[in-house]
Amino acid sequence: MRSHGPVTAYISLGANIGDREYNILSALEQLKQTPEFKVIRISTLLENPAVGMGPNARHFLNAAVEIETTLGSHALLHRLLDIERAMGRQRRERWEPRIIDLDLLLYGDQIISSQELVVPHPLMHERRFVLEPLSQIAPGVVHPTLQMTVEGLLENLVMRNPP
């Protein structure tokens, strides 16, 4: 399903299995090769603890990417899941190591709530590993339900949970 015109969307990328940098760069390349996508900006790679996976879990590399897409939100989600599957991601448990993790954070200024997709991502405002790379490429983008900029969300999170 296609939308009526290009929509700006933001995607979080993460990996903590294998060659993490290669995995993220490979996923980015697959995004770039998707005809309905135009990659606009990519953050740097940032290393972060594996939240929810215990103290011995390997750290994640994380990034964020801004794209323009003509795909509808659900079709975009399916493309992200296709890339994950093509790279070998298997979803068995919620908090498990990942060869690649692609999360749709924002889709324009839309608020979407369905069984398979919730946008804005319901936990993005609580996750430094999402907000730090996202703030590099989209500090002034406004979270449609919280009505705060990405930069403001990050500042609030850092104040509540200092490094």
Side-chain angles (χ1 to χ4, degrees):
M1 172 186 283
R2 291 182 175 267
S3 67
H4 294 291
V7 173
T8 300
Y10 296 91
I11 300 164
S12 174
L13 301 94
N16 78 329
I17 295 177
D19 186 335
R20 301 169 304 162
E21 182 174 353
Y22 174 82
N23 295 342
I24 289 175
L25 296 176
S26 178
L28 285 168
E29 191 57 37
Q30 290 183 59
L31 289 172
K32 289 177 184 177
Q33 292 176 5
T34 302
E36 300 88 355
F37 291 0
K38 179 180 177 187
V39 172
I40 306 300
R41 285 188 203 106
I42 304 167
S43 73
T44 60
L45 298 176
L46 300 171
E47 189 162 20
N48 294 286
V51 174
M53 293 185 185
N56 297 323
R58 186 172 183 206
H59 284 198
F60 272 82
L61 275 187
N62 296 100
V65 61
E66 175 185 345
I67 66 167
E68 282 184 359
T69 184
T70 55
L71 290 178
S73 58
H74 285 77
L76 172 54
L77 171 66
H78 289 215
R79 178 64 184 130
L80 298 179
L81 294 173
D82 287 346
I83 291 170
E84 287 184 348
R85 276 191 294 276
M87 292 183 65
R89 168 116 188 241
Q90 297 177 1
R91 293 176 180 263
R92 294 177 295 258
E93 297 176 26
R94 183 173 182 159
W95 303 108
E96 65 184 354
R98 298 173 179 117
I99 193 165
I100 192 69
D101 186 32
L102 302 173
D103 287 329
L104 178 55
L105 302 174
L106 297 166
Y107 183 82
D109 60 359
Q110 294 187 28
I111 300 169
I112 303 162
S113 184
S114 71
Q115 273 192 307
E116 71 175 341
L117 179 62
V118 177
V119 174
H121 189 286
L123 297 175
M124 69 178 274
H125 64 285
E126 298 175 7
R127 294 178 167 171
R128 184 175 291 180
F129 64 87
V130 169
L131 293 175
E132 283 184 340
L134 186 59
S135 70
Q136 288 181 4
I137 61 171
V141 169
V142 175
H143 188 291
T145 54
L146 299 176
Q147 293 301 304
M148 291 181 65
T149 64
V150 169
E151 186 175 49
L153 291 171
L154 179 57
E155 287 172 4
N156 274 358
L157 184 62
V158 170
M159 285 181 12
R160 287 192 324 252
N161 304 300

